[in-house]
Amino acid sequence: EENGLMYNSYKDLEKKVKLVIKDKQLRKQLSKNAYKTITEEWTSRVAANNLTELFESIINGKETEIKEGPASKAINYNRNKKV
């Protein structure tokens, strides 16, 4: 679920901020999704587990992919690809 907006430049950031200011429904949806993300996916326990997994992979020289939460890749929902 989309819980924020990504931007590529200062001008793009300005455009997204203005969009969120003007679009009450978008603001409400982003807020609701962001709250759910923080309370369910970004808990301190999840953060600790993800960071431990990431650090162990670095120490062992093996790649790992954290699917969700801290240390995961941002997903651009507009293009449906990881960035």
Side-chain angles (χ1 to χ4, degrees):
E1 297 175 354
E2 188 174 22
N3 59 16
L5 300 175
M6 297 178 70
Y7 61 93
N8 299 312
S9 66
Y10 177 81
K11 200 70 172 161
D12 192 29
L13 170 61
E14 181 182 358
K15 181 179 169 183
K16 301 281 174 63
V17 169
K18 287 178 179 179
L19 173 65
V20 172
I21 290 170
K22 290 179 182 179
D23 190 333
K24 184 177 181 178
Q25 186 59 35
L26 176 62
R27 253 192 338 269
K28 288 176 86 173
Q29 191 62 47
L30 290 175
S31 297
K32 179 181 171 185
N33 292 346
Y35 180 81
K36 182 178 176 189
T37 297
I38 291 299
T39 58
E40 294 178 12
E41 296 175 22
W42 288 70
T43 65
S44 58
R45 182 176 306 277
V46 171
N49 289 339
N50 286 2
L51 291 172
T52 299
E53 181 180 336
L54 177 63
F55 294 153
E56 287 176 351
S57 73
I58 292 169
I59 291 167
N60 295 322
K62 297 179 181 177
E63 286 192 35
T64 187
E65 183 179 355
I66 309 297
K67 302 280 185 206
E68 295 180 349
S72 62
K73 291 185 179 181
I75 297 175
N76 185 339
Y77 288 96
N78 292 329
R79 294 186 212 143
N80 203 21
K81 68 177 185 179
K82 292 187 178 181
V83 292

